[in-house]
Amino acid sequence: MKTRSSLAQSARLMERALPLMPGGVSSPVRAFRAVGAEPVFIDSARGSHLYDVDGNEYVDYIGSWGPMIAGHAHPNVVAAITHATAKGTSYGAPVAAEADLAEAILRRMPSLQMVRFVSSGTEATMSAIRLARAVTGRDVIVKFDGCYHGHSDSLLVAAGSGVLTLGQPDSPGVPAVLAALTVSVPYNDLDSVRAVFNSRPDEVACVIVEPVAGNMGVVAPAPGFLEGLREATREHGALLIFDEVMTGFRVAHGGAQELYGVQPDLTTLGKVIGGGLPVGAYGGPSEHMSLISPSGPVYQAGTLSGNPLAMAAGLATLELVSAPEAYEKLERASARIEEGLLAAAAEAGVRVTTGRVGSMLTLFFSDRPVRNYEDARACDTQKFARFHASMLEQGIYLPPSQFEGWFVSLAHTEEDVERTLQAARAALHSLT
Ligand code: KE4
């Protein structure tokens, strides 16, 4: 069993970073707090592999939390960014590349007639709910426990991802008067959504949902859930927002809205459409999007929105996942990993379940299926932490939280999969 050589340089770099940046990191979940391990500093990456500053090599299942669907440092993406960089890095002016990426997105998602680029998923969802409030003239938003839509005030309520990982589903600093306008209900529970509409008729501006939840671990929508949201929002004059920051062009060529055949009013995007550079986007019908400044009164802006390098990286990445075979390859590798994990757990006598849609999956340390936040919270996070530590020691780099998804890329090989399953067998046996 291959184990890591040293972590001395990572430790030294964390010692240096800690007094400079909160937790020594630029995003909380990277601090590995939930798994009680020391984070490794990454020096480089290529394909499906990461290389840390001590020279240890890992098979990577974080993929920068989703963007690296074509693998790290893909030659096409590197060439696109390099070509763009040689002409300058940012102009604060329109560039043709914005329309290039916009056309690529609209071709894949017919529910979008227009799109606005921003620099993160947080900006995308924050802007989409502002637009929904403007379109409807209403203030209340409905979200789902355990879903995470970035860290804007209105959406940091019963949130998933890092806030759930760190056991802080709500955050200090969010004014109570604002949080009161956000109603969070259980995922996959249509009755609770209908109850909100019945109790606060004409107040709900939008329902925002991860069409496949990825921030309490991967949880698929129950049959009829998304269709029910579409029907309830239409019936009550609220907008349906699909937050496809994670699922967009990840779970299917046209995202979750293609996979499940449900068209939202607004869609938010990120991750894959930036190919590893900072890009977010929100879009929908022209009648709504034309309300966005400067064509309309709803203000939203960004110094680096539509950055030419980020547009080039996003377009090159989308082109790499444009053939149907790409999703077939992702499906085969991801299904192989899922069935291998389940077999290894059964062999070791460890009770687990899995959540998977396409190339995003989670191994839950739970003896029951995970269908919502309450189920996810019942997972054995200590056992997950021990599993994570063993996998990391064996050179398999997993998200450092039970409440995150693993991401498979086009670069993951048969050998990567077999190495992962071999490590998982050892890790699971070490738990018994
Ligand atoms: P960003 O602001 O982090 O670009 O996107 C926020 C966001 C919005 N919507 C969904 C469905 C998301 O998953 C995210 C961000 N995802 C997390 C990982 N689960 C980002 C990782 C991090 O916070 O460091």
Side-chain angles (χ1 to χ4, degrees):
M1 178 173 79
K2 180 174 179 295
T3 59
R4 291 185 294 175
S5 60
S6 149
L7 295 174
Q9 187 56 7
S10 269
R12 215 183 329 277
L13 288 173
M14 181 49 87
E15 207 174 311
R16 172 186 169 210
L18 274 169
L20 300 173
M21 297 164 280
V25 293
S26 296
S27 197
V29 74
R30 303 178 192 172
F32 275 38
R33 291 282 168 92
V35 291
E38 285 307 313
V40 293
F41 279 65
I42 301 303
D43 175 66
S44 67
R46 178 165 299 286
S48 56
H49 290 200
L50 294 174
Y51 303 88
D52 73 16
V53 292
D54 290 288
N56 299 302
E57 180 220 359
Y58 305 88
V59 179
D60 177 23
Y61 287 100
I62 296 187
S64 181
W65 303 94
M68 311 318 291
I69 194 168
H72 291 285
H74 190 288
N76 296 22
V77 178
V78 172
I81 297 171
T82 306
H83 177 73
T85 305
K87 300 197 290 177
T89 52
S90 177
Y91 318 119
V95 296
E98 292 165 287
D100 295 342
L101 186 56
E103 285 173 347
I105 291 169
L106 270 50
R107 260 199 311 275
R108 288 166 170 79
M109 281 190 174
S111 74
L112 281 75
Q113 292 177 316
M114 295 184 87
V115 66
R116 167 59 64 86
F117 291 114
V118 292
S119 297
S120 69
T122 293
E123 276 191 272
T125 56
M126 178 175 73
S127 308
I129 62 172
R130 181 179 307 140
L131 176 57
R133 284 169 160 159
V135 166
T136 60
R138 301 174 181 178
D139 295 338
V140 173
I141 60 174
V142 175
K143 71 175 288 293
F144 295 89
D145 300 345
C147 284
Y148 177 73
H149 304 287
H151 64 88
S152 66
D153 283 350
S154 289
L155 291 166
L156 269 187
V157 174
S161 185
V163 273
L164 176 55
T165 295
L166 298 168
Q168 305 156 344
D170 307 306
S171 169
V174 176
V177 289
L178 192 56
L181 294 175
T182 301
V183 179
S184 194
V185 296
Y187 193 74
N188 278 328
D189 179 350
L190 279 173
D191 290 344
S192 60
V193 176
R194 294 188 183 111
V196 175
F197 277 118
N198 294 335
S199 64
R200 305 183 74 163
D202 305 330
E203 286 190 61
V204 178
C206 62
V207 172
I208 183 167
V209 67
E210 290 182 58
V212 175
N215 288 291
M216 50 180 130
V218 176
V219 176
F225 176 60
L226 299 177
E227 295 81 350
L229 292 181
R230 178 65 284 174
E231 185 189 323
T233 46
R234 198 165 272 149
E235 183 186 338
H236 294 277
L239 297 193
L240 178 59
I241 302 175
F242 271 12
D243 178 357
E244 294 224 43
V245 166
M246 189 183 285
T247 56
F249 315 117
R250 158 74 54 190
V251 297
H253 182 267
Q257 52 196 267
E258 176 189 84
L259 187 64
Y260 295 101
V262 176
Q263 290 214 334
D265 296 297
L266 297 177
T267 298
T268 56
L269 296 165
K271 296 182 193 278
V272 167
I273 65 166
L277 268 65
V279 181
Y282 62 104
S286 304
E287 68 169 313
H288 295 334
M289 292 303 291
S290 56
L291 289 175
I292 296 293
S293 180
S295 53
V298 182
Y299 197 72
Q300 179 271 309
T303 301
L304 296 176
S305 299
N307 171 274
L309 277 57
M311 298 292 103
L315 188 62
T317 300
L318 278 189
E319 283 167 358
L320 289 165
V321 287
S322 55
E325 303 81 76
Y327 293 94
E328 289 159 12
K329 181 172 187 242
L330 289 168
E331 175 59 27
R332 278 195 306 276
S334 307
R336 173 80 188 93
I337 292 167
E338 180 182 28
E339 68 193 34
L341 290 171
L342 289 169
E347 185 191 304
V350 178
R351 305 293 294 272
V352 299
T353 58
T354 53
R356 180 176 76 82
V357 177
S359 57
M360 51 193 272
L361 67 140
T362 297
L363 181 67
F364 291 107
F365 283 82
S366 169
D367 55 6
R368 62 184 185 190
V370 176
R371 293 174 312 279
N372 56 35
Y373 177 76
E374 188 189 345
D375 293 343
R377 291 291 299 266
C379 287
D380 185 335
T381 53
Q382 291 309 311
K383 195 167 277 187
F384 172 82
R386 290 167 54 204
F387 174 75
H388 181 274
S390 172
M391 293 292 272
L392 192 64
E393 184 57 30
Q394 297 180 78
I396 310 298
Y397 192 79
L398 301 179
S401 164
Q402 172 68 93
F403 309 117
E404 294 286 359
W406 306 13
F407 296 105
V408 184
S409 81
L410 288 176
H412 282 78
T413 62
E414 284 280 323
E415 185 196 351
D416 288 329
V417 171
E418 291 319 309
R419 185 173 146 192
T420 303
L421 295 179
Q422 185 182 348
R425 279 189 286 275
L428 288 160
H429 273 292
S430 74
L431 300 179
T432 54

